[in-house]
Short mmCIF file of all heavy atoms in Angstrom, two decimals:
data_model
loop_
_atom_site.label_atom_id
_atom_site.label_comp_id
_atom_site.label_asym_id
_atom_site.label_seq_id
_atom_site.Cartn_x
_atom_site.Cartn_y
_atom_site.Cartn_z
N ILE A 1 -63.06 99.39 19.33
CA ILE A 1 -64.45 99.00 19.54
C ILE A 1 -65.09 98.67 18.20
O ILE A 1 -65.14 99.51 17.30
CB ILE A 1 -65.24 100.14 20.23
CG1 ILE A 1 -64.61 100.46 21.58
CG2 ILE A 1 -66.70 99.74 20.42
CD1 ILE A 1 -65.16 101.74 22.21
N ARG A 2 -65.58 97.45 18.05
CA ARG A 2 -66.20 97.02 16.79
C ARG A 2 -67.70 96.86 17.03
O ARG A 2 -68.20 95.77 17.30
CB ARG A 2 -65.55 95.74 16.29
CG ARG A 2 -64.07 95.95 15.94
CD ARG A 2 -63.49 94.80 15.15
NE ARG A 2 -63.28 93.61 15.97
CZ ARG A 2 -62.64 92.52 15.52
NH1 ARG A 2 -62.18 92.48 14.28
NH2 ARG A 2 -62.49 91.47 16.32
N THR A 3 -68.39 97.99 16.90
CA THR A 3 -69.82 98.03 17.23
C THR A 3 -70.62 97.09 16.35
O THR A 3 -71.54 96.40 16.84
CB THR A 3 -70.34 99.47 17.11
OG1 THR A 3 -69.57 100.33 17.95
CG2 THR A 3 -71.80 99.56 17.49
N GLU A 4 -70.33 97.03 15.09
CA GLU A 4 -71.12 96.18 14.19
C GLU A 4 -71.02 94.72 14.61
O GLU A 4 -72.02 93.99 14.59
CB GLU A 4 -70.66 96.35 12.75
CG GLU A 4 -71.56 95.62 11.75
CD GLU A 4 -71.29 96.03 10.31
OE1 GLU A 4 -70.24 96.65 10.06
OE2 GLU A 4 -72.12 95.73 9.44
N ARG A 5 -69.83 94.28 15.00
CA ARG A 5 -69.68 92.91 15.48
C ARG A 5 -70.45 92.69 16.79
O ARG A 5 -71.03 91.61 17.01
CB ARG A 5 -68.21 92.57 15.66
CG ARG A 5 -67.46 92.36 14.36
CD ARG A 5 -65.99 92.13 14.61
NE ARG A 5 -65.76 90.93 15.40
CZ ARG A 5 -65.28 89.79 14.92
NH1 ARG A 5 -65.01 89.67 13.63
NH2 ARG A 5 -65.08 88.75 15.73
N MET A 6 -70.45 93.68 17.66
CA MET A 6 -71.22 93.58 18.90
C MET A 6 -72.71 93.43 18.59
O MET A 6 -73.40 92.61 19.21
CB MET A 6 -70.98 94.79 19.78
CG MET A 6 -69.59 94.89 20.38
SD MET A 6 -69.33 96.42 21.33
CE MET A 6 -70.56 96.26 22.64
N VAL A 7 -73.20 94.22 17.65
CA VAL A 7 -74.62 94.18 17.28
C VAL A 7 -74.97 92.80 16.72
O VAL A 7 -75.99 92.19 17.10
CB VAL A 7 -74.94 95.29 16.27
CG1 VAL A 7 -76.33 95.09 15.66
CG2 VAL A 7 -74.86 96.66 16.95
N GLY A 8 -74.14 92.30 15.81
CA GLY A 8 -74.41 90.99 15.24
C GLY A 8 -74.38 89.89 16.29
O GLY A 8 -75.22 88.97 16.28
N HIS A 9 -73.42 89.97 17.19
CA HIS A 9 -73.30 88.98 18.27
C HIS A 9 -74.51 89.05 19.19
O HIS A 9 -75.10 88.02 19.56
CB HIS A 9 -72.00 89.24 19.03
CG HIS A 9 -71.61 88.14 19.96
ND1 HIS A 9 -70.37 88.09 20.57
CD2 HIS A 9 -72.27 87.04 20.41
CE1 HIS A 9 -70.29 87.02 21.33
NE2 HIS A 9 -71.42 86.37 21.26
N ALA A 10 -74.91 90.27 19.57
CA ALA A 10 -76.06 90.44 20.46
C ALA A 10 -77.32 89.84 19.83
O ALA A 10 -78.12 89.18 20.50
CB ALA A 10 -76.27 91.91 20.78
N ALA A 11 -77.51 90.09 18.54
CA ALA A 11 -78.71 89.61 17.86
C ALA A 11 -78.78 88.09 17.80
O ALA A 11 -79.87 87.51 17.72
CB ALA A 11 -78.77 90.18 16.44
N SER A 12 -77.62 87.43 17.86
CA SER A 12 -77.59 85.97 17.75
C SER A 12 -77.85 85.27 19.06
O SER A 12 -78.08 84.04 19.07
CB SER A 12 -76.22 85.53 17.22
OG SER A 12 -75.21 85.68 18.22
N LEU A 13 -77.82 85.98 20.18
CA LEU A 13 -77.88 85.34 21.49
C LEU A 13 -79.29 84.92 21.88
O LEU A 13 -80.25 85.69 21.74
CB LEU A 13 -77.33 86.28 22.56
CG LEU A 13 -75.84 86.61 22.50
CD1 LEU A 13 -75.49 87.64 23.56
CD2 LEU A 13 -74.99 85.36 22.68
N THR A 14 -79.39 83.70 22.39
CA THR A 14 -80.60 83.24 23.07
C THR A 14 -80.21 83.02 24.53
O THR A 14 -79.02 83.00 24.89
CB THR A 14 -81.11 81.93 22.47
OG1 THR A 14 -80.14 80.90 22.70
CG2 THR A 14 -81.32 82.07 20.95
N PRO A 15 -81.18 82.85 25.42
CA PRO A 15 -80.81 82.62 26.83
C PRO A 15 -79.83 81.47 27.03
O PRO A 15 -78.96 81.55 27.90
CB PRO A 15 -82.16 82.35 27.49
CG PRO A 15 -83.12 83.19 26.70
CD PRO A 15 -82.64 83.08 25.27
N SER A 16 -79.92 80.43 26.22
CA SER A 16 -79.02 79.29 26.39
C SER A 16 -77.60 79.61 25.95
O SER A 16 -76.68 78.83 26.21
CB SER A 16 -79.54 78.08 25.61
OG SER A 16 -79.58 78.35 24.22
N ASP A 17 -77.38 80.75 25.27
CA ASP A 17 -76.04 81.15 24.84
C ASP A 17 -75.33 82.04 25.86
O ASP A 17 -74.21 82.50 25.60
CB ASP A 17 -76.13 81.94 23.52
CG ASP A 17 -76.69 81.11 22.39
OD1 ASP A 17 -76.31 79.93 22.27
OD2 ASP A 17 -77.52 81.64 21.62
N ILE A 18 -75.96 82.29 27.00
CA ILE A 18 -75.43 83.27 27.95
C ILE A 18 -74.94 82.56 29.20
O ILE A 18 -75.71 81.89 29.89
CB ILE A 18 -76.51 84.31 28.29
CG1 ILE A 18 -76.89 85.08 27.02
CG2 ILE A 18 -76.01 85.26 29.38
CD1 ILE A 18 -78.15 85.88 27.15
N ALA A 19 -73.65 82.68 29.45
CA ALA A 19 -73.06 82.13 30.68
C ALA A 19 -73.36 83.06 31.85
O ALA A 19 -73.51 84.27 31.67
CB ALA A 19 -71.56 81.94 30.50
N PRO A 20 -73.43 82.52 33.05
CA PRO A 20 -73.78 83.36 34.21
C PRO A 20 -72.64 84.27 34.64
O PRO A 20 -71.50 84.12 34.20
CB PRO A 20 -74.11 82.33 35.30
CG PRO A 20 -73.29 81.14 34.93
CD PRO A 20 -73.28 81.10 33.42
N MET A 21 -72.97 85.18 35.53
CA MET A 21 -71.99 86.07 36.13
C MET A 21 -71.28 85.34 37.27
O MET A 21 -71.93 84.76 38.15
CB MET A 21 -72.69 87.32 36.67
CG MET A 21 -71.77 88.35 37.30
SD MET A 21 -72.72 89.67 38.10
CE MET A 21 -73.27 88.84 39.59
N VAL A 22 -69.95 85.34 37.27
CA VAL A 22 -69.18 84.68 38.32
C VAL A 22 -69.26 85.50 39.61
O VAL A 22 -68.97 86.69 39.62
CB VAL A 22 -67.71 84.50 37.90
CG1 VAL A 22 -66.90 83.93 39.06
CG2 VAL A 22 -67.61 83.60 36.68
N ARG A 23 -69.63 84.83 40.69
CA ARG A 23 -69.67 85.46 42.02
C ARG A 23 -68.56 84.86 42.86
O ARG A 23 -68.57 83.67 43.17
CB ARG A 23 -71.04 85.23 42.67
CG ARG A 23 -72.19 85.90 41.93
CD ARG A 23 -73.53 85.57 42.58
NE ARG A 23 -74.63 86.13 41.83
CZ ARG A 23 -75.21 87.31 42.06
NH1 ARG A 23 -74.75 88.06 43.07
NH2 ARG A 23 -76.22 87.75 41.34
N LEU A 24 -67.60 85.70 43.22
CA LEU A 24 -66.42 85.26 43.93
C LEU A 24 -66.54 85.50 45.44
O LEU A 24 -67.22 86.44 45.87
CB LEU A 24 -65.18 85.99 43.42
CG LEU A 24 -64.78 85.76 41.97
CD1 LEU A 24 -63.67 86.72 41.58
CD2 LEU A 24 -64.33 84.31 41.77
N SER A 25 -65.85 84.68 46.20
CA SER A 25 -65.68 84.92 47.63
C SER A 25 -64.28 84.47 48.02
O SER A 25 -63.68 83.61 47.36
CB SER A 25 -66.74 84.19 48.45
OG SER A 25 -66.63 82.78 48.27
N VAL A 26 -63.77 85.03 49.11
CA VAL A 26 -62.43 84.70 49.59
C VAL A 26 -62.55 83.66 50.70
O VAL A 26 -63.20 83.90 51.72
CB VAL A 26 -61.71 85.96 50.12
CG1 VAL A 26 -60.31 85.61 50.62
CG2 VAL A 26 -61.63 87.03 49.04
N GLN A 27 -61.92 82.50 50.50
CA GLN A 27 -61.93 81.46 51.52
C GLN A 27 -60.71 81.54 52.43
O GLN A 27 -60.82 81.30 53.63
CB GLN A 27 -61.98 80.07 50.86
CG GLN A 27 -63.31 79.77 50.18
CD GLN A 27 -63.40 78.33 49.72
OE1 GLN A 27 -62.40 77.68 49.43
NE2 GLN A 27 -64.63 77.82 49.64
N GLU A 28 -59.56 81.85 51.87
CA GLU A 28 -58.34 82.06 52.65
C GLU A 28 -57.64 83.29 52.10
O GLU A 28 -57.54 83.44 50.89
CB GLU A 28 -57.41 80.85 52.57
CG GLU A 28 -57.96 79.59 53.21
CD GLU A 28 -56.97 78.43 53.13
OE1 GLU A 28 -55.79 78.68 52.77
OE2 GLU A 28 -57.36 77.30 53.40
N ASP A 29 -57.18 84.14 52.99
CA ASP A 29 -56.61 85.42 52.55
C ASP A 29 -55.27 85.66 53.23
O ASP A 29 -55.21 85.84 54.45
CB ASP A 29 -57.57 86.56 52.87
CG ASP A 29 -57.25 87.83 52.12
OD1 ASP A 29 -56.16 87.91 51.52
OD2 ASP A 29 -58.09 88.75 52.11
N GLY A 30 -54.20 85.64 52.46
CA GLY A 30 -52.89 85.93 53.00
C GLY A 30 -52.59 87.40 53.12
O GLY A 30 -51.51 87.79 53.58
#
């Protein structure tokens, strides 16, 4: 765990730098 890198990365983020959460569903299930 590299906390300092996490802190630096978090501080750099703007809303446009954040990808959404993937929402999955099953269409066909074997």
Side-chain angles (χ1 to χ4, degrees):
I1 300 170
R2 296 193 287 187
T3 303
E4 187 168 14
R5 286 176 62 106
M6 291 176 62
V7 168
H9 193 169
S12 73
L13 293 175
T14 65
S16 63
D17 298 318
I18 297 166
M21 182 187 76
V22 175
R23 296 177 184 266
L24 296 171
S25 62
V26 180
Q27 290 189 332
E28 294 181 11
D29 196 348

